[in-house]
Amino acid sequence: MRNWLVLLCPCVLGAALHLWLRLRSPPPARASGAGRADRLALLPQWKSSHYDVVVGVLSARNNHELRNVIRSTWLKHLVQHPALSQRVLVKFIIGAHGCEVPVEDREDPYSCKLLNITNPVLNQEIEAFSLLEDTSSGLSEDRVVSVSFRVLYPIVITSLGVFYDASDVGFQRNITVKLYQAEQEEALFIARFSPPSCGVQVNKLWYKPVEQFILPESFEGTIVWESQDLQGLVSRNLHKVTVNDGGGVLRVITAGEGALPHEFMEGVEGVAGGFIYTIQEGDALLKNLHSRPRRLLDHISNLHEEDALLKEESSLYDDIVFVDVVDTYRNVPAKLLNFYKWTVETTSFDLLLKTDDDCYIDLEAVFNRIALKNLDGPNFWWGNLFLCSDN
């Protein structure tokens, strides 16, 4: 018995000494800002309390009223019921950076890209595509050619055209030119070219007039050239023609999947002609460009005020996660990915629920559904999947 005591005493003393040192040591300091993120990345086992559900609420920087409505309704209900509040963590997801381009000066209200219009060509017709003077124009094997474009400021298309074939004696082809709005199957404009009706020749193109409609800002369209007989098209790769964007009101883009009816998707990306257009409301455009500097100064000032309000709101409620993203609609996927990363690095949870700041969450119903569907295991996806069909 004495031998056992001799062996155990050093172990007991060592354990007691280790425990005493741990109790005397100060707890590890909580890092803040970038330092805290670094430590969390290095030591992911340091988690906060475990939650059954983490709710991420997507919110725009200026949606103060919507967030306050949530705080006074279903989030207030959560706070007032300790049994729920211990199981649920709710955080608003907000981009840390506001867009420094005023809404009036963006390519569209959902992005943060400057509408870069300089020296617009006003009060005259503009040929969208043109060939160089020394470029020979011969028939190719292409039977269908298409090109897509986006309107950055309202224009009016006045004519559709096809390239001139220098080897022809007169016009010997049958070609149909159609203009589609993106994701629409019905053509907006159609022009048909044939030997007895070839239109008017301008430079190296034949043009025919079409009914004139204003194509608004953000309009996306696709022009399709179809050869109606065995002869091909006089076509060019998109990079081998001159694109006349009118000073920045037009941009050529690549046709994406689904932008055209299926029968046109096998066409070669290029051009087999062009179109003529004019810029709509040129005086209003010039006025907008002249007022940009003043508008930018006011916008930057408003951003500083917004930053101060968000800082105060975050300090008051402690329910906001600022992710390193410019807060625009097109950056919503990036906001979510950054929030998911934050939840994995800083919290422990069973389920993650994403919602928007204009939605109401019935938390009791959520937990009832979890129990009913047995969603308390790993690797569950709970939501709606939308299946697309061609029928």
Side-chain angles (χ1 to χ4, degrees):
M1 184 70 177
R2 181 179 300 174
N3 293 336
W4 281 105
L5 290 175
V6 171
L7 292 173
L8 289 175
C9 280
C11 298
V12 173
L13 289 174
L17 179 62
H18 179 73
L19 179 61
W20 180 74
L21 290 173
R22 286 292 302 272
L23 291 174
R24 282 181 60 86
S25 300
R30 294 184 63 185
S32 61
R36 181 169 184 264
D38 292 341
R39 293 187 65 175
L40 287 170
L42 291 172
L43 300 170
Q45 68 272 21
W46 288 5
K47 302 283 186 177
S48 61
S49 302
H50 180 84
Y51 299 96
D52 292 341
V53 176
V54 172
V55 181
V57 185
L58 272 175
S59 185
R61 288 167 60 90
N62 59 352
N63 283 1
H64 302 279
E65 293 184 4
L66 286 177
R67 291 192 290 274
N68 284 333
V69 168
I70 289 177
R71 293 183 182 113
S72 63
T73 54
W74 63 267
L75 187 51
K76 180 179 180 180
H77 174 73
L78 169 69
V79 173
Q80 291 177 345
H81 290 74
L84 279 177
S85 61
Q86 293 176 5
R87 303 178 66 186
V88 182
L89 175 67
V90 178
K91 292 289 185 180
F92 293 100
I93 313 166
I94 298 177
H97 316 289
C99 176
E100 295 186 355
V101 180
V103 175
E104 300 91 336
D105 300 322
R106 302 177 194 176
E107 283 196 1
D108 63 77
Y110 309 111
S111 71
C112 190
K113 192 167 185 177
L114 175 67
L115 178 59
N116 191 22
I117 296 179
T118 56
N119 300 320
V121 180
L122 304 178
N123 303 318
Q124 68 182 72
E125 292 190 326
I126 306 166
E127 285 190 89
F129 308 117
S130 58
L131 293 172
L132 299 176
E133 289 297 327
D134 58 351
T135 301
S136 61
S137 301
L139 293 174
S140 69
E141 295 180 356
D142 299 326
R143 297 290 303 280
V144 177
V145 174
S146 66
V147 67
S148 297
F149 65 94
R150 178 182 293 122
V151 175
L152 305 180
Y153 188 84
I155 66 171
V156 175
I157 291 182
T158 60
S159 301
L160 297 178
V162 297
F163 285 144
Y164 174 76
D165 183 3
S167 64
D168 280 346
V169 180
F171 194 93
Q172 300 296 320
R173 295 172 291 151
N174 294 281
I175 300 172
T176 301
V177 188
K178 299 179 181 179
L179 189 150
Y180 292 87
Q181 185 174 2
E183 300 182 0
Q184 300 295 321
E185 296 187 0
E186 294 291 331
L188 294 178
F189 311 135
I190 299 178
R192 293 182 172 87
F193 297 80
S194 63
S197 179
C198 56
V200 176
Q201 185 180 355
V202 180
N203 298 324
K204 294 193 173 184
L205 289 91
W206 294 91
Y207 286 106
K208 276 195 167 184
V210 294
E211 188 173 359
Q212 298 181 16
F213 292 102
I214 297 175
L215 302 186
E217 179 183 342
S218 300
F219 175 90
E220 293 190 5
T222 299
I223 294 184
V224 178
W225 293 268
E226 300 175 75
S227 176
Q228 302 299 309
D229 48 34
L230 295 179
Q231 292 177 303
L233 297 165
V234 177
S235 62
R236 286 289 180 273
N237 183 286
L238 189 57
H239 302 290
K240 294 183 179 180
V241 301
T242 300
V243 179
N244 306 311
D245 63 7
V249 301
L250 196 70
R251 175 182 297 156
V252 175
I253 59 176
T254 302
E257 180 121 14
L260 285 172
H262 178 73
E263 59 267 25
F264 296 136
M265 291 309 297
E266 297 178 357
V268 178
E269 184 77 13
V271 290
F275 59 92
I276 295 176
Y277 67 98
T278 59
I279 298 177
Q280 183 74 7
E281 298 180 354
D283 293 339
L285 175 57
L286 288 179
K287 184 178 179 180
N288 178 281
L289 294 177
H290 290 156
S291 61
R292 271 189 176 182
R294 179 72 252 178
R295 189 161 54 246
L296 177 61
L297 290 176
D298 293 340
H299 180 70
I300 294 300
S301 176
N302 292 335
L303 280 183
H304 291 325
E305 294 180 6
E306 187 177 71
D307 286 337
L309 288 174
L310 285 169
K311 184 177 180 180
E312 180 182 355
E313 180 183 357
S314 177
S315 176
L316 179 62
Y317 296 105
D318 192 28
D319 57 6
I320 297 177
V321 174
F322 293 103
V323 294
D324 190 17
V325 170
V326 176
D327 204 282
T328 62
Y329 182 79
R330 295 197 191 281
N331 281 344
V332 164
K335 288 175 67 173
L336 282 175
L337 288 175
N338 277 270
F339 177 70
Y340 295 156
K341 181 179 179 182
W342 178 87
T343 57
V344 170
E345 292 179 346
T346 63
T347 64
S348 174
F349 60 93
D350 292 332
L351 288 174
L352 180 60
L353 189 154
K354 172 266 173 188
T355 187
D356 296 327
D357 57 11
D358 58 354
C359 297
Y360 184 96
I361 304 297
D362 186 341
L363 293 168
E364 282 92 347
V366 170
F367 283 114
N368 291 336
R369 187 76 174 212
I370 291 173
L372 180 65
K373 296 291 185 178
N374 295 321
L375 300 178
D376 52 357
N379 301 323
F380 271 103
W381 174 272
W382 175 25
N384 295 324
L385 296 177
F386 296 92
L387 301 179
C388 298
S389 174
D390 295 333
N391 298 328

